[in-house]
Amino acid sequence: MPARDVAIVAFAQTRHVRDSSADSEVELLMPVLHDVLDQVGLKTGEIGFTCSGSSDYLAGRAFSFTMALDGVGAWPPISESHVEMDGAWALYEAWVKLLTGEADTALVYAYGKSSPGEVRDVLTRQLDPYYVASLWPDSVALAALQAQALIDAGETDEDALAAIAGRSRRDGARNPYAQLTGEHAQGDYVVRPLRRADCPPVGDGAAAVVLAAGDTARRICARPAWIRGMDHRIEAHSLGVRDLTDSPSTRLAAGNAGAFDAPVDTAELHAPFSSQEVVLRKACRLADDVVVNPSGGPLAANPVMAAGLIRLGEAAMRIQRGESERALAHATSGPCLQQNLVAVLEGER
Amino acid sequence: MSKEPVAVIGIGQTKHTSARRDVSIAGLVREAAVRALEDAGMGWQDIDAVVIGKAPDFFEGVMMPELYLADALGAVGKPMLRVHTAGSVGGSTALVAANLVAARVHRTVLTLAFEKQSESNAMWGLSLPIPFQQPLLAGAGGFFAPHIRAYMRRTGAPDGIGSLVAYKDRRNALKNPYAHLHEPDITLEKVQASPMLWDPIRYSETCPSSDGACAMVLADAACASRAPHPAAWVHGGAMRSEPTLFAGKDFVSPQAGRDCAADVYRQAGITDPRREIDCVEMYVPFSWYEPMWLENLGFAAEGEGWKLTESGVTELDGDLPVNPSGGVLSTNPIGASGMLRFAEAALQVRGRAGEHQVPGARRALGHAYGGGAQFFSMWLVGSDRPGA
């Protein structure tokens, strides 16, 4: 168990939209950073450590995160780092920094704009550059392979997937930040067996979180969402050596995060495709009565690079509002859930 | 709350060269990792987590390469983090890995940084398209040359200082079997006669474009006590960032660099770096950055850095050797260059630097910077366990 209590004390996100071309990444981020710092009454210079997550490939230019740093207002100079991963991993790095005792507070942010390019094509550049990327298998096609494997294994069927998609969109209707809200037809096949509604919306967005340790957290937040455990694990890259109907890395991360020590009442799962919720529910051993993705989840809004951090933020807000006592938050990276992070959050006991 | 002491117990790097056409990216990183594990007397199964860093994904054309490299680095089933803080990334990556041990989240961490620059053209990878950037800012040299001129104007440094640094570093590289540039017939006159690229930076005063990787095994005190070779202990480590461009930014001696060094010295109990630190591996991609960083890091008073260089203090047999490995000027796989500085500092205090060993080095500083001289990461390592 970690030697120090660390909590999520504030969370903010943009209203996620299909196309934010009127705003730069910095303009997307600035209101979110101000929002999250205002919530805890801190200024940039009072934050002990700052860490962000983003991707040059989405921005289409090298060192894209350097401009975002300007938006933070990093003067006088700040203690700062960046992961070229979803912001959930930036939160992990910040959590570790707080565990060392070198900082008492941390600002974590992430942003991604998919609108300038074709995100399905862009994500193919994640694949083995010698043997796979040259074939340009896109992210929906790979997810469809996984969905078909699940159906073939008898783990789900198209009706069950449609039910997941429908529930997510209905829940998204109550989330003012979600991109897709309300009822949506299941739609035509995009890549069989996945229909339009089984796939996430393509969109732009940003999110930010403030972490604080111990008494600092209690001072600046009425009900901190304590991080009881957090772990992340990666699997082999090649889909051919993985059982796509299972997620051993999620199960391992969940176990190490303490998810199986006591039941959770809420789970925010970073499952961009309805079929992936089936895999993650099993790996996280979620009971039927666990509230899954009450925010609408990635099927209602999936800003690449921020969507994982948003799962942690949404779970924390459920705890802050008293709607949850113990929540599981999950983030993923890579094709077909290759890399997974799980955090367990709790209210004060 | 006490932190776990962090030890460097294994170091590995590739023989750096302009193009490693014989290996894939995975093959390149694995080579460095295997050497680090051998040095640590460990196998893949002994590693709890992997932290990897590199500079922009565009250099190799692979988005988030940690996904593809998980298998090659024995990371399957383990945590794997990917850091990217521009040119400082190699240093930041090592610090993120060190924090995992310091926080007692893991007991052993493999950290690695790489760049396979032959897969692309780094010069143009670093150049934004016009009209987003003025045409004279081509590559890093175009960005940094005006700041070097500002340094010369501010301090009155004579024209030849940069050539002295390049001549020294290229000679030091001859003693380092892993260095990219080995120029056995190098002379000061040849450096001075090399073509002017970005005035005042001459061809021989710039870093090469390298393929290479560097890896370290970091461990807690208990693991370090079982390591087959002496450890380097982390006495202090810090990162600082400031914006790229703003009115009042001091490009000659950025505040972020001064603050970062001050934080590291505070952690390590260093009050007089010039006397208490035995050697320095600093990130000098263009020769003139040696005197500039000597001032920024507190080894010389403002305006005095070039005098240390000119007097021979920073030579391998000088009083404060700077870049005994040959430095970035001799080897520059960008994403790995910062970690190479950190690793070389550790090699020195472990007494395992071979021909470029500084005799009796007990405390060494590793330094990296990146972006528009805005991201800094540093660590100070020692041959003694902190507090011992």
Side-chain angles (χ1 to χ4, degrees), chain B residues 97-131:
Chain B
N99 277 344
L100 284 166
V101 176
R104 300 191 177 91
V105 173
H106 298 299
R107 303 189 61 185
T108 56
V109 180
L110 172 68
T111 186
L112 182 140
F114 77 96
E115 209 72 76
K116 201 162 189 296
Q117 291 186 211
S118 64
E119 307 264 337
S120 74
N121 183 321
M123 164 94 170
W124 299 111
L126 291 172
S127 303
L128 281 184
I130 299 161

PDB file of all heavy atoms in Angstrom, chain B residues 97-131:
ATOM      1  N   ALA B  97      11.736   7.258 -13.683  1.00  0.00           N
ATOM      2  CA  ALA B  97      12.064   5.895 -13.233  1.00  0.00           C
ATOM      3  C   ALA B  97      12.584   5.920 -11.799  1.00  0.00           C
ATOM      4  O   ALA B  97      12.212   5.081 -10.971  1.00  0.00           O
ATOM      5  CB  ALA B  97      13.100   5.283 -14.171  1.00  0.00           C
ATOM      6  N   ALA B  98      13.442   6.892 -11.491  1.00  0.00           N
ATOM      7  CA  ALA B  98      14.005   6.990 -10.137  1.00  0.00           C
ATOM      8  C   ALA B  98      12.911   7.238  -9.106  1.00  0.00           C
ATOM      9  O   ALA B  98      12.954   6.687  -7.997  1.00  0.00           O
ATOM     10  CB  ALA B  98      15.049   8.105 -10.091  1.00  0.00           C
ATOM     11  N   ASN B  99      11.900   8.041  -9.491  1.00  0.00           N
ATOM     12  CA  ASN B  99      10.814   8.319  -8.550  1.00  0.00           C
ATOM     13  C   ASN B  99      10.006   7.063  -8.225  1.00  0.00           C
ATOM     14  O   ASN B  99       9.482   6.933  -7.121  1.00  0.00           O
ATOM     15  CB  ASN B  99       9.885   9.402  -9.112  1.00  0.00           C
ATOM     16  CG  ASN B  99      10.423  10.801  -8.847  1.00  0.00           C
ATOM     17  OD1 ASN B  99      11.303  10.980  -8.014  1.00  0.00           O
ATOM     18  ND2 ASN B  99       9.905  11.781  -9.562  1.00  0.00           N
ATOM     19  N   LEU B 100       9.894   6.154  -9.187  1.00  0.00           N
ATOM     20  CA  LEU B 100       9.164   4.905  -8.932  1.00  0.00           C
ATOM     21  C   LEU B 100       9.849   4.102  -7.822  1.00  0.00           C
ATOM     22  O   LEU B 100       9.187   3.449  -7.013  1.00  0.00           O
ATOM     23  CB  LEU B 100       9.072   4.073 -10.212  1.00  0.00           C
ATOM     24  CG  LEU B 100       8.052   4.558 -11.240  1.00  0.00           C
ATOM     25  CD1 LEU B 100       8.277   3.874 -12.585  1.00  0.00           C
ATOM     26  CD2 LEU B 100       6.627   4.294 -10.756  1.00  0.00           C
ATOM     27  N   VAL B 101      11.191   4.147  -7.827  1.00  0.00           N
ATOM     28  CA  VAL B 101      11.944   3.455  -6.769  1.00  0.00           C
ATOM     29  C   VAL B 101      11.881   4.268  -5.477  1.00  0.00           C
ATOM     30  O   VAL B 101      11.617   3.721  -4.400  1.00  0.00           O
ATOM     31  CB  VAL B 101      13.406   3.233  -7.203  1.00  0.00           C
ATOM     32  CG1 VAL B 101      14.213   2.601  -6.069  1.00  0.00           C
ATOM     33  CG2 VAL B 101      13.464   2.349  -8.454  1.00  0.00           C
ATOM     34  N   ALA B 102      12.083   5.588  -5.590  1.00  0.00           N
ATOM     35  CA  ALA B 102      12.096   6.449  -4.398  1.00  0.00           C
ATOM     36  C   ALA B 102      10.772   6.386  -3.644  1.00  0.00           C
ATOM     37  O   ALA B 102      10.740   6.423  -2.419  1.00  0.00           O
ATOM     38  CB  ALA B 102      12.402   7.892  -4.802  1.00  0.00           C
ATOM     39  N   ALA B 103       9.673   6.258  -4.399  1.00  0.00           N
ATOM     40  CA  ALA B 103       8.342   6.203  -3.778  1.00  0.00           C
ATOM     41  C   ALA B 103       7.997   4.800  -3.288  1.00  0.00           C
ATOM     42  O   ALA B 103       6.919   4.578  -2.742  1.00  0.00           O
ATOM     43  CB  ALA B 103       7.283   6.661  -4.780  1.00  0.00           C
ATOM     44  N   ARG B 104       8.898   3.867  -3.518  1.00  0.00           N
ATOM     45  CA  ARG B 104       8.708   2.451  -3.145  1.00  0.00           C
ATOM     46  C   ARG B 104       7.516   1.820  -3.883  1.00  0.00           C
ATOM     47  O   ARG B 104       6.864   0.917  -3.360  1.00  0.00           O
ATOM     48  CB  ARG B 104       8.572   2.286  -1.636  1.00  0.00           C
ATOM     49  CG  ARG B 104       9.801   2.769  -0.880  1.00  0.00           C
ATOM     50  CD  ARG B 104       9.795   2.362   0.598  1.00  0.00           C
ATOM     51  NE  ARG B 104      11.036   2.783   1.245  1.00  0.00           N
ATOM     52  CZ  ARG B 104      11.208   3.948   1.851  1.00  0.00           C
ATOM     53  NH1 ARG B 104      10.226   4.819   1.906  1.00  0.00           N
ATOM     54  NH2 ARG B 104      12.369   4.246   2.414  1.00  0.00           N
ATOM     55  N   VAL B 105       7.244   2.305  -5.075  1.00  0.00           N
ATOM     56  CA  VAL B 105       6.224   1.662  -5.919  1.00  0.00           C
ATOM     57  C   VAL B 105       6.830   0.414  -6.566  1.00  0.00           C
ATOM     58  O   VAL B 105       6.173  -0.614  -6.690  1.00  0.00           O
ATOM     59  CB  VAL B 105       5.705   2.644  -6.991  1.00  0.00           C
ATOM     60  CG1 VAL B 105       4.772   1.944  -7.968  1.00  0.00           C
ATOM     61  CG2 VAL B 105       4.981   3.813  -6.322  1.00  0.00           C
ATOM     62  N   HIS B 106       8.087   0.522  -6.977  1.00  0.00           N
ATOM     63  CA  HIS B 106       8.817  -0.633  -7.544  1.00  0.00           C
ATOM     64  C   HIS B 106      10.214  -0.691  -6.949  1.00  0.00           C
ATOM     65  O   HIS B 106      10.762   0.321  -6.514  1.00  0.00           O
ATOM     66  CB  HIS B 106       8.922  -0.511  -9.072  1.00  0.00           C
ATOM     67  CG  HIS B 106       7.605  -0.500  -9.764  1.00  0.00           C
ATOM     68  ND1 HIS B 106       6.713  -1.548  -9.686  1.00  0.00           N
ATOM     69  CD2 HIS B 106       7.012   0.440 -10.537  1.00  0.00           C
ATOM     70  CE1 HIS B 106       5.636  -1.247 -10.385  1.00  0.00           C
ATOM     71  NE2 HIS B 106       5.784  -0.048 -10.915  1.00  0.00           N
ATOM     72  N   ARG B 107      10.801  -1.887  -6.981  1.00  0.00           N
ATOM     73  CA  ARG B 107      12.161  -2.061  -6.435  1.00  0.00           C
ATOM     74  C   ARG B 107      13.217  -2.007  -7.533  1.00  0.00           C
ATOM     75  O   ARG B 107      14.357  -1.641  -7.282  1.00  0.00           O
ATOM     76  CB  ARG B 107      12.246  -3.385  -5.675  1.00  0.00           C
ATOM     77  CG  ARG B 107      11.213  -3.464  -4.548  1.00  0.00           C
ATOM     78  CD  ARG B 107      11.445  -4.669  -3.684  1.00  0.00           C
ATOM     79  NE  ARG B 107      12.763  -4.593  -3.066  1.00  0.00           N
ATOM     80  CZ  ARG B 107      13.278  -5.557  -2.330  1.00  0.00           C
ATOM     81  NH1 ARG B 107      12.605  -6.670  -2.128  1.00  0.00           N
ATOM     82  NH2 ARG B 107      14.473  -5.415  -1.797  1.00  0.00           N
ATOM     83  N   THR B 108      12.869  -2.413  -8.721  1.00  0.00           N
ATOM     84  CA  THR B 108      13.814  -2.357  -9.845  1.00  0.00           C
ATOM     85  C   THR B 108      13.087  -1.800 -11.059  1.00  0.00           C
ATOM     86  O   THR B 108      11.956  -2.202 -11.354  1.00  0.00           O
ATOM     87  CB  THR B 108      14.342  -3.755 -10.211  1.00  0.00           C
ATOM     88  OG1 THR B 108      13.228  -4.598 -10.494  1.00  0.00           O
ATOM     89  CG2 THR B 108      15.191  -4.355  -9.108  1.00  0.00           C
ATOM     90  N   VAL B 109      13.698  -0.879 -11.735  1.00  0.00           N
ATOM     91  CA  VAL B 109      13.085  -0.287 -12.925  1.00  0.00           C
ATOM     92  C   VAL B 109      14.134  -0.248 -14.036  1.00  0.00           C
ATOM     93  O   VAL B 109      15.274   0.181 -13.814  1.00  0.00           O
ATOM     94  CB  VAL B 109      12.567   1.139 -12.648  1.00  0.00           C
ATOM     95  CG1 VAL B 109      11.933   1.738 -13.908  1.00  0.00           C
ATOM     96  CG2 VAL B 109      11.552   1.142 -11.506  1.00  0.00           C
ATOM     97  N   LEU B 110      13.738  -0.706 -15.216  1.00  0.00           N
ATOM     98  CA  LEU B 110      14.583  -0.546 -16.401  1.00  0.00           C
ATOM     99  C   LEU B 110      14.151   0.739 -17.086  1.00  0.00           C
ATOM    100  O   LEU B 110      12.977   0.920 -17.409  1.00  0.00           O
ATOM    101  CB  LEU B 110      14.382  -1.728 -17.360  1.00  0.00           C
ATOM    102  CG  LEU B 110      15.073  -1.601 -18.731  1.00  0.00           C
ATOM    103  CD1 LEU B 110      16.583  -1.667 -18.599  1.00  0.00           C
ATOM    104  CD2 LEU B 110      14.575  -2.688 -19.687  1.00  0.00           C
ATOM    105  N   THR B 111      15.101   1.655 -17.268  1.00  0.00           N
ATOM    106  CA  THR B 111      14.763   2.887 -17.978  1.00  0.00           C
ATOM    107  C   THR B 111      15.644   2.988 -19.210  1.00  0.00           C
ATOM    108  O   THR B 111      16.810   2.611 -19.189  1.00  0.00           O
ATOM    109  CB  THR B 111      14.882   4.115 -17.061  1.00  0.00           C
ATOM    110  OG1 THR B 111      14.413   5.263 -17.764  1.00  0.00           O
ATOM    111  CG2 THR B 111      16.303   4.356 -16.587  1.00  0.00           C
ATOM    112  N   LEU B 112      15.055   3.445 -20.290  1.00  0.00           N
ATOM    113  CA  LEU B 112      15.740   3.418 -21.583  1.00  0.00           C
ATOM    114  C   LEU B 112      15.292   4.594 -22.424  1.00  0.00           C
ATOM    115  O   LEU B 112      14.131   4.994 -22.384  1.00  0.00           O
ATOM    116  CB  LEU B 112      15.405   2.092 -22.286  1.00  0.00           C
ATOM    117  CG  LEU B 112      16.074   1.864 -23.646  1.00  0.00           C
ATOM    118  CD1 LEU B 112      16.521   0.423 -23.774  1.00  0.00           C
ATOM    119  CD2 LEU B 112      15.152   2.222 -24.796  1.00  0.00           C
ATOM    120  N   ALA B 113      16.233   5.136 -23.183  1.00  0.00           N
ATOM    121  CA  ALA B 113      15.884   6.200 -24.129  1.00  0.00           C
ATOM    122  C   ALA B 113      16.603   5.916 -25.443  1.00  0.00           C
ATOM    123  O   ALA B 113      17.687   5.331 -25.447  1.00  0.00           O
ATOM    124  CB  ALA B 113      16.275   7.563 -23.577  1.00  0.00           C
ATOM    125  N   PHE B 114      15.988   6.308 -26.525  1.00  0.00           N
ATOM    126  CA  PHE B 114      16.584   5.973 -27.821  1.00  0.00           C
ATOM    127  C   PHE B 114      16.202   6.999 -28.877  1.00  0.00           C
ATOM    128  O   PHE B 114      15.267   7.788 -28.712  1.00  0.00           O
ATOM    129  CB  PHE B 114      16.121   4.584 -28.289  1.00  0.00           C
ATOM    130  CG  PHE B 114      14.707   4.566 -28.838  1.00  0.00           C
ATOM    131  CD1 PHE B 114      14.478   4.654 -30.212  1.00  0.00           C
ATOM    132  CD2 PHE B 114      13.614   4.503 -28.000  1.00  0.00           C
ATOM    133  CE1 PHE B 114      13.176   4.654 -30.716  1.00  0.00           C
ATOM    134  CE2 PHE B 114      12.315   4.503 -28.495  1.00  0.00           C
ATOM    135  CZ  PHE B 114      12.099   4.585 -29.860  1.00  0.00           C
ATOM    136  N   GLU B 115      16.936   6.968 -29.959  1.00  0.00           N
ATOM    137  CA  GLU B 115      16.522   7.650 -31.186  1.00  0.00           C
ATOM    138  C   GLU B 115      17.184   6.903 -32.331  1.00  0.00           C
ATOM    139  O   GLU B 115      18.359   6.554 -32.260  1.00  0.00           O
ATOM    140  CB  GLU B 115      16.984   9.111 -31.185  1.00  0.00           C
ATOM    141  CG  GLU B 115      16.078  10.039 -31.981  1.00  0.00           C
ATOM    142  CD  GLU B 115      14.752  10.282 -31.281  1.00  0.00           C
ATOM    143  OE1 GLU B 115      14.721  11.045 -30.317  1.00  0.00           O
ATOM    144  OE2 GLU B 115      13.732   9.679 -31.711  1.00  0.00           O
ATOM    145  N   LYS B 116      16.419   6.649 -33.374  1.00  0.00           N
ATOM    146  CA  LYS B 116      16.983   6.039 -34.589  1.00  0.00           C
ATOM    147  C   LYS B 116      16.792   7.084 -35.686  1.00  0.00           C
ATOM    148  O   LYS B 116      15.881   7.009 -36.506  1.00  0.00           O
ATOM    149  CB  LYS B 116      16.271   4.717 -34.907  1.00  0.00           C
ATOM    150  CG  LYS B 116      17.081   3.788 -35.810  1.00  0.00           C
ATOM    151  CD  LYS B 116      16.550   2.350 -35.736  1.00  0.00           C
ATOM    152  CE  LYS B 116      17.446   1.348 -36.451  1.00  0.00           C
ATOM    153  NZ  LYS B 116      17.571   1.524 -37.893  1.00  0.00           N
ATOM    154  N   GLN B 117      17.681   8.068 -35.641  1.00  0.00           N
ATOM    155  CA  GLN B 117      17.469   9.250 -36.476  1.00  0.00           C
ATOM    156  C   GLN B 117      17.617   8.976 -37.959  1.00  0.00           C
ATOM    157  O   GLN B 117      17.150   9.756 -38.787  1.00  0.00           O
ATOM    158  CB  GLN B 117      18.408  10.380 -36.027  1.00  0.00           C
ATOM    159  CG  GLN B 117      18.013  10.914 -34.672  1.00  0.00           C
ATOM    160  CD  GLN B 117      18.798  12.123 -34.211  1.00  0.00           C
ATOM    161  OE1 GLN B 117      18.995  12.281 -33.024  1.00  0.00           O
ATOM    162  NE2 GLN B 117      19.229  12.985 -35.109  1.00  0.00           N
ATOM    163  N   SER B 118      18.259   7.848 -38.290  1.00  0.00           N
ATOM    164  CA  SER B 118      18.415   7.532 -39.710  1.00  0.00           C
ATOM    165  C   SER B 118      17.073   7.203 -40.361  1.00  0.00           C
ATOM    166  O   SER B 118      16.972   7.172 -41.580  1.00  0.00           O
ATOM    167  CB  SER B 118      19.369   6.354 -39.881  1.00  0.00           C
ATOM    168  OG  SER B 118      18.835   5.184 -39.294  1.00  0.00           O
ATOM    169  N   GLU B 119      16.033   6.959 -39.533  1.00  0.00           N
ATOM    170  CA  GLU B 119      14.720   6.662 -40.105  1.00  0.00           C
ATOM    171  C   GLU B 119      14.063   7.920 -40.679  1.00  0.00           C
ATOM    172  O   GLU B 119      13.023   7.841 -41.329  1.00  0.00           O
ATOM    173  CB  GLU B 119      13.797   6.044 -39.033  1.00  0.00           C
ATOM    174  CG  GLU B 119      14.387   4.839 -38.316  1.00  0.00           C
ATOM    175  CD  GLU B 119      13.948   3.499 -38.909  1.00  0.00           C
ATOM    176  OE1 GLU B 119      12.908   3.448 -39.560  1.00  0.00           O
ATOM    177  OE2 GLU B 119      14.680   2.511 -38.712  1.00  0.00           O
ATOM    178  N   SER B 120      14.648   9.085 -40.371  1.00  0.00           N
ATOM    179  CA  SER B 120      14.039  10.326 -40.866  1.00  0.00           C
ATOM    180  C   SER B 120      15.117  11.380 -41.036  1.00  0.00           C
ATOM    181  O   SER B 120      16.299  11.075 -40.982  1.00  0.00           O
ATOM    182  CB  SER B 120      12.971  10.817 -39.886  1.00  0.00           C
ATOM    183  OG  SER B 120      13.603  11.363 -38.741  1.00  0.00           O
ATOM    184  N   ASN B 121      14.708  12.614 -41.208  1.00  0.00           N
ATOM    185  CA  ASN B 121      15.653  13.725 -41.303  1.00  0.00           C
ATOM    186  C   ASN B 121      15.380  14.667 -40.127  1.00  0.00           C
ATOM    187  O   ASN B 121      14.399  15.408 -40.132  1.00  0.00           O
ATOM    188  CB  ASN B 121      15.453  14.461 -42.636  1.00  0.00           C
ATOM    189  CG  ASN B 121      16.457  15.586 -42.812  1.00  0.00           C
ATOM    190  OD1 ASN B 121      16.782  16.294 -41.870  1.00  0.00           O
ATOM    191  ND2 ASN B 121      16.942  15.747 -44.032  1.00  0.00           N
ATOM    192  N   ALA B 122      16.254  14.587 -39.122  1.00  0.00           N
ATOM    193  CA  ALA B 122      15.997  15.316 -37.878  1.00  0.00           C
ATOM    194  C   ALA B 122      15.964  16.828 -38.100  1.00  0.00           C
ATOM    195  O   ALA B 122      15.181  17.536 -37.477  1.00  0.00           O
ATOM    196  CB  ALA B 122      17.056  14.964 -36.845  1.00  0.00           C
ATOM    197  N   MET B 123      16.810  17.300 -38.964  1.00  0.00           N
ATOM    198  CA  MET B 123      16.849  18.747 -39.242  1.00  0.00           C
ATOM    199  C   MET B 123      15.453  19.252 -39.611  1.00  0.00           C
ATOM    200  O   MET B 123      14.955  20.233 -39.069  1.00  0.00           O
ATOM    201  CB  MET B 123      17.817  18.981 -40.399  1.00  0.00           C
ATOM    202  CG  MET B 123      17.662  20.331 -41.039  1.00  0.00           C
ATOM    203  SD  MET B 123      18.794  21.510 -40.324  1.00  0.00           S
ATOM    204  CE  MET B 123      18.554  22.842 -41.483  1.00  0.00           C
ATOM    205  N   TRP B 124      14.805  18.541 -40.514  1.00  0.00           N
ATOM    206  CA  TRP B 124      13.490  19.009 -40.951  1.00  0.00           C
ATOM    207  C   TRP B 124      12.387  18.554 -40.022  1.00  0.00           C
ATOM    208  O   TRP B 124      11.333  19.184 -39.948  1.00  0.00           O
ATOM    209  CB  TRP B 124      13.236  18.601 -42.410  1.00  0.00           C
ATOM    210  CG  TRP B 124      14.290  19.253 -43.262  1.00  0.00           C
ATOM    211  CD1 TRP B 124      15.306  18.652 -43.916  1.00  0.00           C
ATOM    212  CD2 TRP B 124      14.477  20.676 -43.465  1.00  0.00           C
ATOM    213  NE1 TRP B 124      16.123  19.594 -44.523  1.00  0.00           N
ATOM    214  CE2 TRP B 124      15.641  20.829 -44.258  1.00  0.00           C
ATOM    215  CE3 TRP B 124      13.803  21.815 -43.044  1.00  0.00           C
ATOM    216  CZ2 TRP B 124      16.120  22.090 -44.652  1.00  0.00           C
ATOM    217  CZ3 TRP B 124      14.279  23.058 -43.418  1.00  0.00           C
ATOM    218  CH2 TRP B 124      15.423  23.186 -44.216  1.00  0.00           C
ATOM    219  N   GLY B 125      12.655  17.499 -39.255  1.00  0.00           N
ATOM    220  CA  GLY B 125      11.703  17.101 -38.220  1.00  0.00           C
ATOM    221  C   GLY B 125      11.576  18.174 -37.152  1.00  0.00           C
ATOM    222  O   GLY B 125      10.561  18.298 -36.490  1.00  0.00           O
ATOM    223  N   LEU B 126      12.651  18.959 -36.992  1.00  0.00           N
ATOM    224  CA  LEU B 126      12.656  20.015 -35.979  1.00  0.00           C
ATOM    225  C   LEU B 126      12.235  21.364 -36.550  1.00  0.00           C
ATOM    226  O   LEU B 126      12.208  22.358 -35.831  1.00  0.00           O
ATOM    227  CB  LEU B 126      14.058  20.140 -35.373  1.00  0.00           C
ATOM    228  CG  LEU B 126      14.515  18.969 -34.514  1.00  0.00           C
ATOM    229  CD1 LEU B 126      15.983  19.112 -34.141  1.00  0.00           C
ATOM    230  CD2 LEU B 126      13.676  18.869 -33.266  1.00  0.00           C
ATOM    231  N   SER B 127      11.963  21.431 -37.840  1.00  0.00           N
ATOM    232  CA  SER B 127      11.607  22.700 -38.464  1.00  0.00           C
ATOM    233  C   SER B 127      10.114  22.743 -38.736  1.00  0.00           C
ATOM    234  O   SER B 127       9.597  21.904 -39.454  1.00  0.00           O
ATOM    235  CB  SER B 127      12.369  22.865 -39.786  1.00  0.00           C
ATOM    236  OG  SER B 127      13.748  22.787 -39.575  1.00  0.00           O
ATOM    237  N   LEU B 128       9.457  23.726 -38.149  1.00  0.00           N
ATOM    238  CA  LEU B 128       8.041  23.914 -38.454  1.00  0.00           C
ATOM    239  C   LEU B 128       7.911  24.467 -39.870  1.00  0.00           C
ATOM    240  O   LEU B 128       8.775  25.202 -40.328  1.00  0.00           O
ATOM    241  CB  LEU B 128       7.419  24.904 -37.485  1.00  0.00           C
ATOM    242  CG  LEU B 128       7.064  24.396 -36.115  1.00  0.00           C
ATOM    243  CD1 LEU B 128       6.375  25.500 -35.335  1.00  0.00           C
ATOM    244  CD2 LEU B 128       6.175  23.195 -36.202  1.00  0.00           C
ATOM    245  N   PRO B 129       6.836  24.135 -40.546  1.00  0.00           N
ATOM    246  CA  PRO B 129       6.671  24.696 -41.880  1.00  0.00           C
ATOM    247  C   PRO B 129       6.435  26.206 -41.836  1.00  0.00           C
ATOM    248  O   PRO B 129       5.801  26.718 -40.918  1.00  0.00           O
ATOM    249  CB  PRO B 129       5.448  23.966 -42.434  1.00  0.00           C
ATOM    250  CG  PRO B 129       4.769  23.362 -41.251  1.00  0.00           C
ATOM    251  CD  PRO B 129       5.781  23.207 -40.170  1.00  0.00           C
ATOM    252  N   ILE B 130       6.972  26.897 -42.814  1.00  0.00           N
ATOM    253  CA  ILE B 130       6.651  28.303 -43.026  1.00  0.00           C
ATOM    254  C   ILE B 130       5.161  28.338 -43.404  1.00  0.00           C
ATOM    255  O   ILE B 130       4.733  27.454 -44.124  1.00  0.00           O
ATOM    256  CB  ILE B 130       7.532  28.852 -44.171  1.00  0.00           C
ATOM    257  CG1 ILE B 130       9.001  28.728 -43.780  1.00  0.00           C
ATOM    258  CG2 ILE B 130       7.165  30.263 -44.568  1.00  0.00           C
ATOM    259  CD1 ILE B 130       9.966  28.785 -44.948  1.00  0.00           C
ATOM    260  N   PRO B 131       4.301  29.218 -42.959  1.00  0.00           N
ATOM    261  CA  PRO B 131       4.592  30.468 -42.266  1.00  0.00           C
ATOM    262  C   PRO B 131       4.565  30.380 -40.743  1.00  0.00           C
ATOM    263  O   PRO B 131       4.564  31.423 -40.095  1.00  0.00           O
ATOM    264  CB  PRO B 131       3.450  31.345 -42.754  1.00  0.00           C
ATOM    265  CG  PRO B 131       2.303  30.408 -42.822  1.00  0.00           C
ATOM    266  CD  PRO B 131       2.882  29.099 -43.271  1.00  0.00           C
TER     267      PRO B 131
END
